[in-house]
Amino acid sequence: APLSFEVESRGIIKGDNGELKAGKEMNGAEWACMAARGILGEKEVTDASTAPVPGVADGGLAWARPCMNALAEAGVSLPDVFERPLNMPVMRADAAELVFQLKRDDLDRPANQTEAFEGLKDFSTVSTLTPGEQEAMGVMRHVGILEGKNDGTVLAPNDTLLKIEGGKLVNELL
């Protein structure tokens, strides 16, 4: 089934007025809720606290608090992943780090960083990442969950995450 059908039919992403808008960038709140619903499940989100999340600026998007609290209860270090307010676009590196923190034990690891980033043309962006982001991006790329942009050879960790990319990240883990 097409990706948009998979993530929409499972209630993982609701879309804007019923339309997915796959090429639109995601903000932190949308990404948190997509990841929480898709990876943890709707029950975990529904049962989570609605209290403000320590260390995270919700940017006026209080509706995302149950998603954030569900992620925190699952062991995600939220201040590391959501360094910017939730109403701001989420970066690809931060999205990868969230998935990596949730699925760390289920993912194959590359033998080394060289293998993880094999085939990339632009390594300069890798050096701008924190060690946690480097590990997360390397593992996500190694297992084929997060591809490079353009012809697949540009990592683009500091580019904003598009809804279709967020859907792919979650869908690959279902």
Side-chain angles (χ1 to χ4, degrees):
L3 174 64
S4 60
F5 174 77
E6 285 293 321
V7 295
E8 286 179 293
S9 67
R10 295 175 188 226
I12 296 167
I13 188 171
K14 310 293 186 193
D16 295 331
N17 297 319
E19 186 180 341
L20 182 60
K21 296 186 181 177
K24 185 178 175 190
E25 63 187 24
M26 295 189 81
N27 67 35
E30 292 168 325
W31 171 237
C33 286
M34 180 188 280
R37 286 186 190 114
I39 298 170
L40 301 176
E42 187 63 39
K43 180 176 178 1
E44 285 74 7
V45 172
T46 303
D47 292 348
S49 169
T50 58
V53 181
V56 177
D58 67 22
L61 302 176
W63 57 264
R65 289 178 184 166
C67 301
M68 299 298 289
N69 282 306
L71 292 170
E73 289 170 19
V76 173
S77 173
L78 296 174
D80 290 341
V81 175
F82 296 99
E83 299 163 359
R84 300 158 43 136
L86 294 182
N87 60 345
M88 300 293 294
V90 68
M91 302 294 111
R92 288 167 47 93
D94 295 330
E97 190 170 6
L98 185 150
V99 172
F100 181 68
Q101 285 187 32
L102 284 173
K103 302 299 280 184
R104 177 184 319 259
D105 296 334
D106 300 332
L107 299 169
D108 290 331
R109 298 276 207 299
N112 54 51
Q113 288 294 81
T114 302
E115 182 182 334
F117 298 115
E118 185 176 9
L120 288 180
K121 290 180 184 172
D122 182 10
F123 282 90
S124 63
T125 56
V126 174
S127 65
T128 67
L129 302 174
T130 67
E133 289 170 337
Q134 284 184 13
E135 183 180 18
M137 291 290 285
V139 170
M140 295 293 112
R141 188 169 186 279
H142 176 72
V143 298
I145 293 174
L146 186 64
E147 298 296 325
K149 288 195 162 197
N150 301 335
D151 60 357
T153 62
V154 179
L155 189 60
N158 298 314
D159 282 9
T160 56
L161 184 72
L162 301 178
K163 288 185 176 189
I164 193 68
E165 293 173 317
K168 181 180 183 210
L169 277 167
V170 171
N171 198 54
E172 291 290 327
L173 297 167
L174 296 177

